[in-house]
Each structure stands twice: as C-alpha cells, then as structure tokens.
C-alpha cells in the first residue's frame, strides 16, 4: 500500500493548524460577495438541510462549468431511486443549480479542505459513493473519504499538461491520492495517459460529458421580446469575458461599426458584478450602451448590450449568429466551454489561450466550426467575415453542431463504467431497507 508520505502529512498538519485562518478567509470572501452569507456554515462542514433517510450518492463539481457537466449524470442517478447530493464551491454555481437541478436533488457548498470541516461533512452526509468531476483532488477530502471506505470515482477526469508537470514533481503524493479513487474516467487519451503516469491504477477513456449536456434553456417570452428588438440587425456575443477582454471586444465593435452600421454587440461577463465597470468603459469609448441588470434593453439606438445577469447564455446564443468564447484572449484563464453555443447554432471564435479545453477547441477548429483570433483586430475581421456572409456563418455553425454531436456518448460510457459501484450501492440500499 502506498503511504501518504511527508508532504501529505505536512499538508494535513498545516491545514489543521490554519483552521482559524481558514475561517478568516471565509469572512473576507463573504465581504467581497464570494460567499453566500445565508449558507456560510456549509463551508465549514455544517449541513444546511436535513439528510434524507436513504442511500445517498454525492457528486462534486468546482464551479459553473463542472456542475453543469454533471446535470445529465445527476438525472440518471435520480431515476434509479437514489438520493443525490451535489456540492460546488462558488456562489454562481449555486445560483445556476438552483435553477437547473431536478426537484429533490440537494445542493450544498463544499467545505474548505480543512480536516475537521471535511470530517464533519462526511460524517453527516455519509455518502455511499462519491463522483468527483474533472480535477478536484483535494487531499483532506480524499483522505477522509478513504478512512471511511467511501468509494470515489474521478468522472470527466482531466489532467492538463500544466497540472501534470506540477503533480509529477510530487510522485508519492500523486500516487497516494490517485490510488484512492476506484477509477478515473478520463475525457481523452491524453488525459488518461497523464493520470496513469501519475499513479492512477484504473484509468479508462469515457469521453467528455460536456458534449452530452443539453443546450442551456431560455425563457420563451424573454426570447420573443429580445428577438423582436434585434430583428434585422447583425448580432454577435462575447460570452464569459474577463478583464482585458472587454476592451478588445469594444475595440472590435468600433472597428466593425463603419462596415455594419446596425451592428449589435453583446457582452456577457463571466462575473456579472463587473457590468457597471464595462458600461463605464463603453461610455468612455463613445459607445451607446445598455445594461440588462439595470433594466436596459437592446433598443435600436443601443450598440452594445451588457448582459450582467445569471443563467442567460442560452438566451444570448439563440439571438446571435457568432459567439466569441472569453477567457481565451487573456493569459491563465484557459478558455470557456464552446459546446453550448455550438449546440445553439453559433459560429465560434476564440483566442489563443484555451489550455483548459484545448482538445475540444481543436476539434471545433478542425471541423470548421471555430476560428482562432489573436487580438482585437483579428476578432473584428473574423466577426465581419461571418456577419457579412450569413451563408458562411451558417455553414460554420452547422459544422460546430456536427462536431458537438459526433463527440457525444460519454454519459452512457460513464454510467456503464460505474454500474458495478451503483449495483453495490443499490444492494446496500436494499439491505438497509430489509
């Protein structure tokens, strides 16, 4: 058996000693709006609701992208009569899940990775199985689950080259943590090979669950209103933008406006609280702007519409012909999910830094549904090319949709892979009932 080793032992000791600092960090995050003040105790492992008196399966995703990825799997588990607990770590993910989780599924915030917090969480919820999404390998979570013999599976598992290089420097730590998982269901061959090199003993390639997530919904009445307001206008959306990208989107808009006088550019920032900041930036550049959170609408005299609200990307992709995926024109972010706009008929654009979804973007690029741009000028040129040639934009959008369809199937492969564990869980459930 692989031992924890000195690094994990030190991590355990230090994270326990720093528990007061962790509590202070939560208070600081709450003041900055990064924690839900009404559910603050959940981040320290205290339950926010009563546990159902039945066998419970636990799924965890870090933030919005990971939790959305888990939705089809959650529905499959619930249909089997299992109680389902979903955890995440961000306020935005909690708001999204409140709107999209099936009735009866419980959401809680994951505690910080402090030993006592994790013990408190696991002792209360007592999951029969834990499905951890992508790369959320928290040491105390894994160690405490292992102590309680809770089987863990890494689903939609991802290990980027950048993360691999960091883990590779800690061979005993990576082997211990990864060997604690019953299996690792990797997104791609590359992810699987890197996980195996780091010590994961049971790796299989299931594909990317993101391709099996239904397209995000849109309120029909709101869509009809906005569609009426934008009829006859070329529309494109810059989705999930970060600081440094909004300036480039506005610059691209200004470059496009002389060629497309009726152009409507939509910016949906990754963090909606930045809406007022982007509005000030637009006004400083002489752009006529409206902001959704302030009650604004894309009237005919509005050139830039800032959608600084939650859970409305499904609406925006249905209005747009072209979608630029943010987090890709600035370093370190790694690009956001292009699958949703691909399923909703958008031609795709992205910047050069897409390391978080590199293989997905590469597939769209190869299929002709996406195009890489390097700066504001290249962005303006690509948007102009597609908006001035609707047939070419439709062709690119069809190609993106075909790629998304062809790469589906990970949900069935994932359920098949975890079927032995689900049967074990179901057997335990029957024994408890008897």
């Amino acid at each position: 058996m692989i031992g924890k080793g000195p690094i994990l032992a030190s991590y355990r000791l230090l994270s326990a000693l720093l528990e007061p600092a962790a509590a202070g960090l939560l208070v600081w995050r709450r003041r900055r709006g990064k924690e839900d003040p009404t559910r603050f105790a959940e981040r320290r492992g205290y339950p926010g609701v009563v546990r159902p008196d039945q066998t419970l399966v636990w799924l965890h995703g870090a933030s919005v992208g990971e939790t959305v990825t888990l939705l089809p799997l959650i529905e499959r588990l619930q249909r089997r009569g299992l109680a389902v607990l979903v955890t995440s770590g961000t306020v935005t993910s909690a708001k999204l899940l409140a709107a999209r989780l099936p009735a009866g599924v419980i959401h809680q915030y994951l505690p910080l990775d402090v030993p006592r917090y994790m013990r408190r969480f696991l002792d209360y919820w007592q999951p029969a199985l834990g499905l951890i999404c992508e790369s959320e390998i928290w040491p105390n979570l894994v160690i405490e689950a292992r102590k309680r013999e809770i089987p863990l599976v890494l689903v939609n598992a991802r290990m980027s080259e950048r993360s691999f290089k960091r883990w590779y420097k800690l061979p005993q730590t990576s082997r211990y943590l990864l060997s604690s998982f019953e299996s690792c269901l990797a997104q791609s061959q590359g992810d699987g090979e890197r996980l195996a090199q780091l010590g994961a003993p049971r790796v299989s390639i299931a594909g990317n669950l993101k391709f099996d997530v239904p397209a995000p919904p849109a309120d029909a009445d709101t869509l009809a209103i906005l569609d009426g307001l934008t009829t006859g206008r070329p529309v494109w959306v810059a989705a999930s933008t970060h600081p440094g990208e909004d300036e480039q989107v506005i610059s691209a808009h200004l470059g496009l406006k002389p060629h497309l006088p009726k152009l409507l550019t939509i910016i949906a920032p990754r963090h909606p609280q930045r809406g007022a900041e982007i509005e000030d930036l637009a006004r400083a550049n002489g752009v006529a702007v409206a902001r959704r959170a302030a009650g604004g609408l894309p009237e005919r005299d509005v050139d830039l519409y800032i959608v600084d609200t939650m859970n409305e990307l499904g609406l925006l992709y249905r209005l747009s012909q072209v979608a630029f995926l943010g987090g890709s024109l600035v370093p370190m972010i790694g690009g956001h999910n292009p699958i949703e706009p691909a399923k909703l008929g958008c031609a795709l654009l992205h910047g050069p830094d897409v390391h978080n979804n590199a293989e997905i973007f590469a597939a769209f690029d190869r299929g002709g549904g996406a195009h890489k741009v390097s700066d504001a000028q290249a962005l303006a040129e690509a948007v102009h090319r597609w908006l001035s040639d609707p047939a070419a934009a439709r062709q690119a959008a069809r190609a993106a949709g075909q790629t998304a369809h062809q790469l589906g199937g990970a949900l069935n492969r994932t359920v098949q892979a975890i079927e032995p564990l689900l049967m074990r869980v179901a057997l335990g459930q029957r024994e408890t009932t008897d």
Side-chain angles (χ1 to χ4, degrees):
M1 180 179 291
I2 301 166
K4 289 196 288 289
I7 292 176
L8 274 179
S10 298
Y11 177 90
R12 292 272 286 171
L13 177 61
L14 188 61
S15 57
L17 292 174
L18 290 177
E19 183 180 329
L25 173 64
L26 287 172
V27 171
W28 178 81
R29 285 176 54 83
R30 182 175 61 183
R31 289 172 180 164
R32 293 174 61 87
K34 294 180 179 292
E35 298 290 343
D36 185 340
T38 66
R39 299 173 60 183
F40 195 59
E42 292 173 27
R43 296 288 268 157
R44 292 183 288 127
Y46 291 105
V49 296
V50 175
R51 186 197 188 281
D53 187 20
Q54 62 187 110
T55 302
L56 181 141
V57 175
W58 164 41
L59 301 95
H60 173 68
S63 188
V64 171
E66 295 84 358
T67 49
V68 168
T69 298
L70 291 171
L71 286 173
L73 186 54
I74 291 166
E75 291 172 359
R76 288 280 188 96
L77 295 171
Q78 193 183 38
R79 287 207 298 266
R80 298 175 78 115
L82 295 164
V84 178
L85 167 70
V86 183
T87 57
S88 64
T90 65
V91 173
T92 51
S93 63
K95 289 178 179 177
L96 182 142
L97 290 171
R100 296 184 64 176
L101 275 180
V105 174
I106 299 167
H107 174 264
Q108 295 281 277
Y109 285 104
L110 185 75
L112 294 188
D113 198 46
V114 172
R116 185 160 64 159
Y117 295 175
M118 281 298 173
R119 287 195 294 270
R120 187 181 288 149
F121 172 82
L122 291 173
D123 287 344
Y124 181 80
W125 291 104
Q126 299 179 28
L129 172 65
L131 305 176
I132 310 300
C133 189
E134 295 202 2
S135 55
E136 282 285 283
I137 308 171
W138 290 102
N140 287 317
L141 181 158
V142 172
I143 291 168
E144 295 296 339
R146 183 168 175 158
K147 282 183 177 180
R148 289 158 180 76
E149 298 184 345
I150 299 168
L152 298 179
V153 178
L154 201 60
V155 299
N156 216 42
R158 182 168 59 87
M159 180 59 64
S160 68
E161 282 285 355
R162 185 178 301 182
S163 296
F164 172 77
K165 290 174 182 176
R166 290 198 296 265
W167 281 108
Y168 193 73
K169 297 174 182 176
L170 305 169
Q172 188 174 13
T173 300
S174 64
R175 282 198 304 273
Y176 179 85
L177 292 175
L178 289 170
S179 69
S180 301
F181 286 86
E182 291 277 329
S183 62
C184 295
L185 307 180
Q187 293 183 17
S188 69
Q189 189 68 36
D191 290 311
E193 290 172 357
R194 288 186 286 271
L195 285 163
Q197 279 186 265
L198 291 174
R202 294 167 290 276
V203 178
S204 58
I205 313 305
N208 196 325
L209 284 169
K210 289 180 180 178
F211 287 102
D212 292 322
V213 177
D219 179 77
D221 292 337
T222 305
L223 179 60
I225 291 169
L226 293 181
D227 190 49
L229 288 171
T230 58
T231 296
R233 300 184 69 178
V235 180
W236 70 294
V237 59
S240 299
T241 60
H242 290 258
E245 289 181 315
D246 308 300
E247 295 88 340
Q248 297 188 70
V249 171
I250 291 171
S251 176
H253 173 87
L254 292 170
L256 287 163
K257 186 68 174 173
H259 307 285
L260 300 168
K262 295 182 180 180
L263 177 68
L264 175 65
T265 296
I266 301 174
I267 293 181
R270 181 69 170 181
H271 302 107
Q273 63 268 28
R274 295 181 48 248
E277 169 192 329
I278 300 169
E279 181 180 20
D280 291 342
L281 183 64
R283 294 192 189 283
N285 282 274
V287 178
V289 61
R291 188 158 60 88
R292 186 159 179 77
L297 290 170
E299 306 284 359
R300 292 292 165 177
D301 59 346
V302 170
D303 290 333
L304 179 69
Y305 190 41
I306 301 168
V307 180
D308 50 345
T309 49
M310 290 292 298
N311 303 331
E312 292 201 301
L313 283 177
L315 178 69
L316 305 185
Y317 293 145
R318 287 172 171 86
L319 291 173
S320 307
Q321 298 146 289
V322 177
F324 164 74
L325 280 305
S328 61
L329 273 178
V330 289
M332 303 303 292
I333 307 299
H336 293 298
N337 179 12
I339 300 170
E340 292 180 345
K343 289 188 172 185
L344 290 174
C346 292
L348 308 176
L349 296 171
H350 63 87
D353 189 356
V354 292
H355 65 264
N356 273 342
N357 293 287
E359 295 186 14
I360 297 177
F361 278 103
F364 282 119
D365 288 347
R366 286 193 304 269
H371 179 72
K372 181 172 72 174
V373 297
S374 57
D375 54 28
Q377 181 178 344
L379 177 61
E381 290 170 356
V383 172
H384 181 260
R385 182 168 61 252
W386 275 336
L387 291 186
S388 60
D389 187 351
R394 285 193 297 271
Q395 182 178 352
R398 280 195 299 270
Q402 289 168 0
T403 297
H405 177 73
Q406 290 165 0
L407 293 174
L411 176 61
N412 288 335
R413 289 188 289 272
T414 297
V415 172
Q416 184 177 7
I418 65 174
E419 184 64 32
L421 287 169
L422 293 176
M423 291 181 67
R424 193 193 309 172
V425 166
L427 181 62
Q429 186 175 30
R430 285 196 296 272
E431 289 175 352
T432 301
T433 302
D434 294 343

